[in-house]
Amino acid sequence: MTSQDAHTPATAPATSSPSPTTENGKSVGWHKAYLPDPRGNHPEMRVPVRVVHLTNGESVTLYDTSGPYTDPAVETDVRRGLVPLRENWITARGDTEEYAGRPVRPEDDGVKHTTPRGGLRNLDAVFPGRSRRPLRGRPGFAVTQLAYARRGEITPEMEFVAVRENMAPEVVREEIAAGRAVLPANINHPESEPMIIGKRFLVKVNANIGNSAVTSSIEEEVEKMTWATRWGADTVMDLSTGRNIHTTREWVLRNSPVPIGTVPLYQALEKVDGKAEELTWEIYKDTVVEQAEQGVDYMTVHAGVRLAYVPLTANRKTGIVSRGGSIMAAWCLAHHKESFLYEHFEELCEILAAYDITYSLGDGLRPGSIADANDRAQFAELETLGELNRIAKRHDVQTMIEGPGHVPMHKIKENIDLQQEICEEAPFYTLGPLTTDIAPAYDHITSGIGAAMIGWWGTAMLCYVTPKEHLGLPNREDVKTGVITYKIAAHAADLAKGHPGAQDWDDALSDARFEFRWEDQFNLALDPDTAREFHDETLPAEPAKTAHFCSMCGPKFCSMKISRDISERFGGEGGGGADGAAGASDEEIEAGMLQKSKEFAAAGNRVYLPLAE
Amino acid sequence: MTSQDAHTPATAPATSSPSPTTENGKSVGWHKAYLPDPRGNHPEMRVPVRVVHLTNGESVTLYDTSGPYTDPAVETDVRRGLVPLRENWITARGDTEEYAGRPVRPEDDGVKHTTPRGGLRNLDAVFPGRSRRPLRGRPGFAVTQLAYARRGEITPEMEFVAVRENMAPEVVREEIAAGRAVLPANINHPESEPMIIGKRFLVKVNANIGNSAVTSSIEEEVEKMTWATRWGADTVMDLSTGRNIHTTREWVLRNSPVPIGTVPLYQALEKVDGKAEELTWEIYKDTVVEQAEQGVDYMTVHAGVRLAYVPLTANRKTGIVSRGGSIMAAWCLAHHKESFLYEHFEELCEILAAYDITYSLGDGLRPGSIADANDRAQFAELETLGELNRIAKRHDVQTMIEGPGHVPMHKIKENIDLQQEICEEAPFYTLGPLTTDIAPAYDHITSGIGAAMIGWWGTAMLCYVTPKEHLGLPNREDVKTGVITYKIAAHAADLAKGHPGAQDWDDALSDARFEFRWEDQFNLALDPDTAREFHDETLPAEPAKTAHFCSMCGPKFCSMKISRDISERFGGEGGGGADGAAGASDEEIEAGMLQKSKEFAAAGNRVYLPLAE
């Protein structure tokens, strides 16, 4: 076995820390490294990877979403934010301009009607060392990755994701140009490490965070974001609905190495004290600009919830379960008017285009129960999302489409097939889907099943579901469980899609397992900590980490040992092994085996020796 | 909504405890009840169900595997065992005979070479009040459910499962007679509540327990068994490999309300001190009889691992990962002889037939990694299992077929399709399959994904995988997590297969969710305890259990409340709701909606009112 590289090119030399990363002074068996731009166009480019060091001297290189936080050479400070690594690329294009920006107002943090001490002061004091003014596209310039791709330009961001995905930059450009992939990268979020969402690439995972009126603090949300990306979240959505929405988002954005998504409607509703009928296009637009200047990379917009579709949900078992969808439905009913998001969609496109914000066209009428899956309301909205997708593309706005929800297994494929057809292969971004309603507290699993399947069939990004779904707000442990479950679903989908190199990771882990390299198994695991902990529960002693047996069978009774013996006796020779045998006749196999059996008997007929007892 | 009945007939009156079951003096919102034989042929028949009482006065009836342990009217004593409810049915058939039985020997408990104090004494003292001698079929009589079914007889066992599955008894008989379903019911395990495994019926879940040389006690194993069935395990396999195998199995069988499966080869190997080459047909046969007399309901037999297939595994990434498969491979190599299980298969059939033990033809060459899935070794063995299935059927022995293992999603369907074709639709019983190798500590999830899919496509029983798979022995919490995960997979499969009545359970829970009946949500959940606990973490106060909002959005911002308003305004009227609207023209909808909008405005334009703040 030679050096294995899952998802990243074997040829690119890595600049890296000299030794494995340590935690609490203990080696963790892997270290953060950086791949350069293989074409040398951007000498400053450093594409992050996780290099796992195996005990047999080999190494495995894995995709890494964790940002500078896992690099011991980088000192991070949550109050200063991350280094704006994309800043020079953005300014070098010469198509953006700084401007004064919208003044931040107390109501941005939900303090309109009350005056808690220090509401405004907090906003100013968040990042004292930061003086960057917002950027926007200069008049007459299209500054989105979609516009560049369509013009044939390969941006540094595209080169970056090409390295990450082990793809040619031209493939990245083509997929973006065709609208089959998005590269969410607001020009006001220069701290983000470019990533791509599209069916030709690795399946991505989003983690939701966000405080609500009931609980949570700003620090907790930032911590949840870094925690989620540490375990593999590719993007994070900040769905805060309570106080301090603006400030929480500023903290999250300035410290986030991954694209941040939001639902601007939530904040807009806070500004009108939760009264949906008091929402206006102006308040909504102002909120979008506020968030655009902060650097939000993609926005969920429920512009597909049209007036005429609202009654289609009336006899559903669980009505409208999307918050955004229900707010817009309430507004439409209150005014008996077409949705202001639908009516002003072209204007919204112009705003998003000026910052290169990606649309995530929300499925406000997604089913909230098995009974409501694939109904008329859901698919009526999907038709409208297809219409809006075409409009967005005319404005050079990158666009993905959100999908359900609660869907039994046999109705899942229809969702992706219809979406791909109606939305011209725009990336699908689905919540689950949950394949049954009967398991509250385990909806990471009910939905992980559906997520893996729909990922296999072409969904580009999976929105995680935590064990607390339907029950409460996820804590740190729930966020981790949700991310790990969805990384499993995404990787299972990558395998099933036959993504180049995806299986290298499985193979490296299986090799380690077969060769009883326990430490390598742990370090290659999606969650090394828990794998190690579980092993230690049964066999805590340090020698057990190198023992040639495991706790399932005990030392006397080990199938792996028997197999290794068979492999040593028959493997690696023509006619003996699976590959060789495929071309050998039964007689040849029989003759070879008889010979082997004699050698086996001569060696004492022992297939394994008890190590203990 | 009327009384909901998931999986059991609405018409059959239930004999039941007068009030919901209590635990620690607290009502748990459900109680154990029993359905009678609807045809009145067996007045003593009591088919267990779980009745969930909803706060709106309705109830939901669910399949129940938990045995007498959840019936407060029954006093259970682990040292006396359960009531032998099938005893009269078995003796009434007049085709069995009592006999002295094989004497229990010290080596049955692995105490051949050492003499720990009380080894033999323990065997005698396990069930002091029990004097039942073993039964076997009388010479010339075929005593298997398959034989009865083929003769057109509907046994009480078949009537019992017909009630459980809400199917006609004749369908049960037909499926068994055709070999498409098995009803594992050793005549020496009269304590078991009959259940059926077949693709026409609910997808079943098996939980493995078993001590090993490294850890575990007898009491722990019995406790794991009752714990597993409490959460929904339909069968339990005792895979013990250490000391006290015989005694552990006796305890488990006498206390088990579900069929018990074993792998006799494990105990046989213990009897020859772990030296595979010293195994003989005689030792194996003696072990099978020993277990047959104890009442083992189904036995995994790795008779498909033939000498010629062993070299096919040599170049695999992870060789042979099945313990039984590796033992037989080692034996074949040591002697360069065809497997004694294969050679003596007809004789084995005669033994199993005499006790109505069901074959579970083991897949000893199943893949242990993604890389080895669907290879020549695996499918070569499957061909042999097809041959053995036909032989077993000639002997009236019920038979199911075991399947993999580690298989990426896109290769799963080929497994069930080939198995169904080669094995003439005999029930498939699969381990997972695990859809990726990269997540040790989360293999309940990697495999739950594959299990749900293969269940949808026709697998009849899913063998659970716990979080400790590959790492250690499952403890109590791991067993529960494994069972719950697999109940999710099985139910998701039942939904996807369109099993009659399966969706009633989801519908009842979704109704409760939509109507903010929190206690009903908890009581209907697969795991009420954890659902309640998660809710309490965020909103611990008792009033929150009846609050018309939840912690995800808080009181101001609730999509469910908006939907309920829409439903009240548009629902339940022709032309307004989803069903009605399907037949209405756009103009009719528009007109209806305008009217509704006016009413809405007249009512104050409020779609929800804050309950707090």
Side-chain angles (χ1 to χ4, degrees):
Chain A
M1 195 177 73
T2 58
S3 175
Q4 306 233 7
D5 292 275
H7 310 152
T8 44
T11 47
T15 61
S16 59
S17 316
S19 65
T21 303
T22 56
E23 273 186 353
N24 305 324
K26 215 180 144 188
S27 163
V28 293
W30 54 269
H31 81 282
K32 181 101 174 185
Y34 299 92
L35 305 178
D37 172 10
R39 280 151 292 272
N41 296 330
H42 306 281
E44 79 290 0
M45 188 182 290
R46 302 169 81 227
V47 179
V49 288
R50 166 183 285 220
V51 179
V52 182
H53 303 275
L54 306 184
T55 55
N56 62 3
E58 294 170 4
S59 65
V60 178
T61 303
L62 301 174
Y63 193 101
D64 179 55
T65 59
S66 62
Y69 302 101
T70 48
D71 185 344
V74 175
E75 216 168 298
T76 57
D77 177 350
V78 75
R79 295 193 159 268
R80 292 166 57 90
L82 301 179
V83 171
L85 60 93
R86 292 201 300 126
E87 195 166 53
N88 290 339
W89 301 341
I90 295 164
T91 52
R93 287 193 274 259
D95 52 6
T96 57
E97 61 183 11
E98 278 188 17
Y99 69 113
R102 172 190 172 283
V104 175
R105 290 186 285 266
E107 57 265 38
D108 298 345
D109 263 344
V111 288
K112 188 179 181 182
H113 296 286
T114 57
T115 49
R117 279 188 303 165
L120 251 178
R121 184 178 49 77
N122 276 345
L123 294 189
D124 296 338
V126 174
F127 293 103
R130 214 186 125 257
S131 61
R132 184 173 63 74
R133 299 199 308 165
L135 294 179
R136 65 185 172 203
R138 283 167 56 200
F141 286 85
V143 302
T144 70
Q145 297 288 326
L146 174 56
Y148 304 138
R150 282 174 164 173
R151 289 202 302 258
E153 277 178 43
I154 293 173
T155 63
E157 286 88 345
M158 296 176 204
E159 303 248 23
F160 192 101
V161 302
V163 177
R164 279 191 122 167
E165 301 270 349
N166 196 14
M167 292 273 193
E170 179 56 22
V171 172
V172 172
R173 190 202 62 76
E174 270 173 18
E175 291 298 300
I176 294 173
R180 288 191 296 265
V182 295
L183 195 163
N186 185 323
I187 53 177
N188 290 311
H189 186 204
E191 299 90 346
S192 74
E193 297 169 347
M195 54 79 70
I196 192 162
I197 302 166
K199 63 184 172 183
R200 284 278 299 266
F201 306 97
L202 292 166
V203 175
K204 302 305 187 295
V205 171
N206 171 68
N208 291 334
I209 59 171
N211 61 359
S212 85
V214 178
T215 180
S216 289
S217 74
I218 292 175
E219 288 80 0
E220 272 176 44
E221 296 313 313
V222 175
E223 165 61 14
K224 274 187 205 162
M225 179 275 293
T226 56
W227 182 244
T229 57
R230 180 190 161 155
W231 294 109
D234 294 283
T235 75
V236 166
M237 289 195 79
D238 176 6
L239 303 182
S240 295
T241 60
R243 289 281 149 73
N244 299 318
I245 291 186
H246 181 99
T247 306
T248 301
R249 189 167 50 237
E250 187 71 25
W251 280 61
V252 168
L253 275 161
R254 298 290 75 78
N255 288 290
S256 176
V258 301
I260 297 296
T262 62
V263 186
L265 194 62
Y266 294 176
Q267 185 179 13
L269 189 73
E270 295 287 335
K271 291 179 182 176
V272 294
D273 258 354
K275 296 170 190 148
E277 74 277 10
E278 292 186 10
L279 280 169
T280 62
W281 161 244
E282 286 69 30
I283 290 169
Y284 182 84
K285 183 172 78 171
D286 178 64
T287 305
V288 168
V289 172
E290 172 190 347
Q291 300 194 7
E293 293 177 352
Q294 286 189 294
V296 168
D297 298 285
Y298 65 91
M299 294 182 180
T300 295
V301 178
H302 296 94
V305 180
R306 297 190 59 181
L307 176 65
Y309 303 156
V310 177
L312 299 179
T313 67
N315 283 343
R316 275 182 160 185
K317 193 158 280 291
T318 48
I320 300 175
V321 293
S322 147
R323 283 188 277 175
S326 61
I327 294 163
M328 290 313 300
W331 189 93
C332 291
L333 288 185
H335 298 278
H336 190 62
K337 272 190 188 165
E338 186 55 271
S339 154
F340 62 81
L341 293 176
Y342 181 81
E343 296 282 335
H344 291 272
F345 193 75
E346 301 243 7
E347 195 177 342
L348 192 56
C349 289
E350 285 167 22
I351 300 171
L352 266 60
Y355 302 91
D356 196 5
I357 296 167
T358 298
Y359 268 124
S360 185
L361 294 178
D363 56 335
L365 304 183
R366 68 169 175 268
S369 57
I370 291 296
D372 294 342
N374 295 19
D375 72 355
R376 194 178 162 205
Q378 184 193 334
F379 287 148
E381 182 184 28
L382 182 58
E383 288 286 348
T384 298
L385 298 185
E387 173 196 340
L388 298 173
N389 173 59
R390 288 188 294 275
I391 296 170
K393 296 289 168 58
R394 283 208 304 269
H395 291 269
D396 285 329
V397 180
Q398 304 189 78
T399 303
M400 53 186 173
I401 311 291
E402 295 186 11
H406 292 240
V407 185
M409 283 189 286
H410 63 299
K411 292 188 176 179
I412 289 177
K413 193 153 189 306
E414 185 180 10
N415 277 275
I416 174 86
D417 289 347
L418 269 180
Q419 183 273 339
Q420 287 288 293
E421 182 193 328
I422 293 170
C423 301
E424 298 171 350
E425 299 184 83
F428 205 25
Y429 168 27
T430 62
L431 178 71
L434 288 74
T435 55
T436 168
D437 303 338
I438 65 167
Y442 297 84
D443 279 325
H444 58 306
I445 297 176
T446 66
S447 67
I449 293 167
M453 293 170 70
I454 204 162
W456 168 25
W457 291 326
T459 286
M461 184 156 75
L462 308 170
C463 182
Y464 89 166
V465 172
T466 78
K468 289 277 169 61
E469 182 80 10
H470 301 118
L471 296 170
L473 290 171
N475 60 25
R476 191 179 151 92
E477 208 43 44
D478 298 320
V479 166
K480 176 178 168 182
T481 302
V483 172
I484 296 278
T485 302
Y486 272 68
K487 292 302 277 189
I488 289 170
H491 185 73
D494 289 334
L495 288 178
K497 288 201 299 185
H499 190 90
Q503 197 183 308
D504 293 350
W505 191 354
D506 301 75
D507 289 351
L509 199 141
S510 290
D511 282 335
R513 182 171 284 155
F514 192 61
E515 292 167 14
F516 290 103
R517 290 185 270 112
W518 287 100
E519 285 294 336
D520 293 347
Q521 272 194 71
F522 303 148
N523 290 326
L524 284 165
L526 259 184
D527 177 2
D529 303 351
T530 307
R532 187 175 279 108
E533 181 193 311
F534 281 4
H535 179 266
D536 287 358
E537 269 180 40
T538 312
L539 286 173
E542 202 55 38
K545 302 287 196 316
T546 52
H548 280 194
F549 64 92
C550 56
S551 54
M552 278 79 76
C553 303
K556 264 177 48 176
F557 208 86
C558 174
S559 60
M560 287 286 191
K561 295 187 75 231
I562 293 173
S563 290
R564 290 175 64 203
D565 189 83
I566 294 169
S567 180
E568 281 162 22
R569 285 166 199 285
F570 293 99
E573 297 174 26
D579 294 335
S585 71
D586 285 353
E587 289 70 27
E588 286 167 336
I589 293 170
E590 178 69 10
M593 214 161 49
L594 185 56
Q595 174 57 28
K596 289 293 177 187
S597 176
K598 284 176 184 160
E599 294 169 20
F600 185 63
N605 268 350
R606 302 290 296 183
V607 286
Y608 55 92
L609 296 166
L611 292 180
E613 219 167 304
Chain B
M1 194 177 74
T2 58
S3 175
Q4 305 232 10
D5 292 274
H7 310 153
T8 45
T11 49
T15 61
S16 60
S17 318
S19 65
T21 302
T22 56
E23 275 186 351
N24 305 323
K26 217 181 144 187
S27 162
V28 293
W30 54 269
H31 81 281
K32 181 98 174 187
Y34 299 93
L35 306 177
D37 172 10
R39 280 151 292 272
N41 297 329
H42 306 281
E44 79 290 359
M45 188 182 288
R46 302 169 82 227
V47 180
V49 288
R50 166 183 285 220
V51 179
V52 182
H53 302 275
L54 307 184
T55 55
N56 62 2
E58 294 170 3
S59 65
V60 178
T61 303
L62 302 174
Y63 193 101
D64 179 54
T65 59
S66 63
Y69 302 100
T70 48
D71 185 345
V74 175
E75 216 169 297
T76 57
D77 177 350
V78 75
R79 294 192 159 267
R80 292 168 56 90
L82 301 179
V83 170
L85 60 93
R86 292 201 300 124
E87 195 166 54
N88 291 339
W89 301 342
I90 294 164
T91 52
R93 287 192 275 260
D95 52 6
T96 57
E97 60 184 12
E98 278 189 17
Y99 69 113
R102 172 190 171 283
V104 175
R105 290 186 285 267
E107 58 263 39
D108 298 346
D109 263 343
V111 288
K112 189 178 180 183
H113 296 287
T114 56
T115 49
R117 279 189 302 164
L120 250 180
R121 185 177 48 77
N122 275 347
L123 293 189
D124 294 337
V126 173
F127 293 104
R130 215 187 124 258
S131 60
R132 186 174 62 74
R133 298 200 307 165
L135 294 179
R136 64 183 172 203
R138 284 168 54 199
F141 287 86
V143 302
T144 70
Q145 297 288 327
L146 175 56
Y148 304 138
R150 282 176 164 173
R151 289 202 300 261
E153 278 178 43
I154 292 172
T155 62
E157 286 89 344
M158 295 175 202
E159 303 250 21
F160 192 102
V161 301
V163 176
R164 279 190 123 168
E165 300 271 349
N166 196 15
M167 291 274 194
E170 179 56 21
V171 172
V172 173
R173 190 201 62 75
E174 271 173 19
E175 291 298 301
I176 294 172
R180 287 190 297 265
V182 295
L183 195 163
N186 185 325
I187 53 177
N188 290 312
H189 186 205
E191 299 90 345
S192 74
E193 298 169 347
M195 54 80 68
I196 193 162
I197 302 167
K199 63 183 172 182
R200 284 279 298 267
F201 306 97
L202 293 166
V203 175
K204 301 306 186 295
V205 170
N206 172 68
N208 291 334
I209 59 170
N211 62 359
S212 86
V214 177
T215 180
S216 291
S217 75
I218 292 174
E219 289 80 1
E220 272 177 44
E221 296 313 314
V222 175
E223 164 62 13
K224 274 186 203 163
M225 179 275 293
T226 56
W227 182 244
T229 57
R230 181 190 160 155
W231 294 109
D234 295 283
T235 75
V236 166
M237 289 195 79
D238 176 5
L239 302 183
S240 295
T241 59
R243 288 283 148 74
N244 298 318
I245 291 186
H246 182 99
T247 306
T248 301
R249 189 167 51 237
E250 187 70 25
W251 280 61
V252 168
L253 275 161
R254 298 291 73 79
N255 287 290
S256 175
V258 302
I260 297 296
T262 61
V263 186
L265 194 62
Y266 293 177
Q267 186 180 11
L269 189 72
E270 294 288 334
K271 291 180 181 175
V272 294
D273 257 354
K275 295 171 190 145
E277 74 276 12
E278 291 185 10
L279 281 169
T280 63
W281 162 244
E282 287 67 31
I283 290 169
Y284 182 83
K285 183 172 76 169
D286 178 65
T287 305
V288 168
V289 171
E290 172 190 348
Q291 300 193 8
E293 293 176 353
Q294 287 188 294
V296 169
D297 298 287
Y298 65 89
M299 294 182 180
T300 295
V301 179
H302 296 94
V305 180
R306 297 190 58 180
L307 177 64
Y309 303 156
V310 176
L312 299 179
T313 67
N315 282 344
R316 276 181 159 186
K317 195 158 278 293
T318 48
I320 301 175
V321 294
S322 148
R323 282 188 277 175
S326 61
I327 293 163
M328 290 313 299
W331 188 92
C332 291
L333 287 186
H335 298 278
H336 189 61
K337 272 190 189 167
E338 186 56 272
S339 154
F340 62 82
L341 294 176
Y342 181 81
E343 296 283 334
H344 292 270
F345 193 74
E346 301 244 8
E347 194 177 344
L348 192 56
C349 290
E350 286 167 22
I351 300 171
L352 267 60
Y355 303 90
D356 196 5
I357 296 167
T358 298
Y359 269 123
S360 184
L361 294 178
D363 56 334
L365 303 183
R366 69 170 174 268
S369 57
I370 292 297
D372 294 342
N374 296 18
D375 72 354
R376 194 176 163 207
Q378 185 193 333
F379 288 149
E381 182 185 27
L382 182 57
E383 288 287 350
T384 298
L385 299 185
E387 173 197 341
L388 298 173
N389 173 58
R390 287 188 294 275
I391 296 171
K393 296 291 167 56
R394 282 207 306 268
H395 291 267
D396 285 329
V397 180
Q398 304 189 79
T399 304
M400 53 187 175
I401 312 291
E402 296 186 9
H406 292 239
V407 186
M409 284 190 286
H410 63 300
K411 293 188 175 177
I412 290 177
K413 194 153 189 308
E414 185 180 9
N415 277 276
I416 174 86
D417 289 348
L418 269 181
Q419 183 273 338
Q420 288 287 292
E421 183 194 325
I422 293 170
C423 301
E424 299 171 349
E425 299 184 84
F428 205 24
Y429 169 28
T430 62
L431 178 72
L434 289 75
T435 55
T436 168
D437 304 337
I438 64 167
Y442 297 84
D443 279 324
H444 58 307
I445 298 176
T446 65
S447 67
I449 293 167
M453 294 170 70
I454 204 162
W456 168 25
W457 291 327
T459 287
M461 185 155 76
L462 308 170
C463 182
Y464 88 167
V465 171
T466 78
K468 290 276 168 61
E469 182 80 11
H470 300 118
L471 296 170
L473 289 172
N475 60 24
R476 191 177 150 93
E477 209 43 45
D478 298 319
V479 167
K480 176 178 168 183
T481 301
V483 171
I484 296 277
T485 302
Y486 272 68
K487 291 301 277 189
I488 289 170
H491 185 73
D494 290 334
L495 288 178
K497 288 201 298 185
H499 189 90
Q503 198 184 308
D504 293 350
W505 191 356
D506 300 75
D507 289 352
L509 199 141
S510 289
D511 282 336
R513 182 171 283 156
F514 192 60
E515 292 167 13
F516 290 104
R517 289 185 271 112
W518 287 100
E519 284 295 336
D520 293 347
Q521 273 193 70
F522 303 149
N523 289 326
L524 284 165
L526 258 184
D527 177 1
D529 302 351
T530 306
R532 188 174 279 109
E533 181 193 311
F534 281 3
H535 179 266
D536 287 0
E537 269 180 40
T538 312
L539 288 172
E542 201 54 39
K545 302 285 195 318
T546 53
H548 281 194
F549 64 91
C550 56
S551 55
M552 278 78 77
C553 305
K556 266 178 43 177
F557 207 87
C558 173
S559 61
M560 287 287 190
K561 295 187 76 230
I562 293 173
S563 290
R564 291 175 65 204
D565 190 82
I566 293 169
S567 179
E568 280 161 24
R569 286 165 199 285
F570 294 99
E573 298 172 24
D579 295 334
S585 70
D586 285 353
E587 290 70 26
E588 285 166 338
I589 293 170
E590 179 69 10
M593 213 160 50
L594 184 56
Q595 174 56 28
K596 290 294 178 187
S597 178
K598 283 175 185 162
E599 294 169 20
F600 186 64
N605 268 348
R606 300 293 296 183
V607 285
Y608 54 92
L609 295 165
L611 292 180
E613 220 167 307

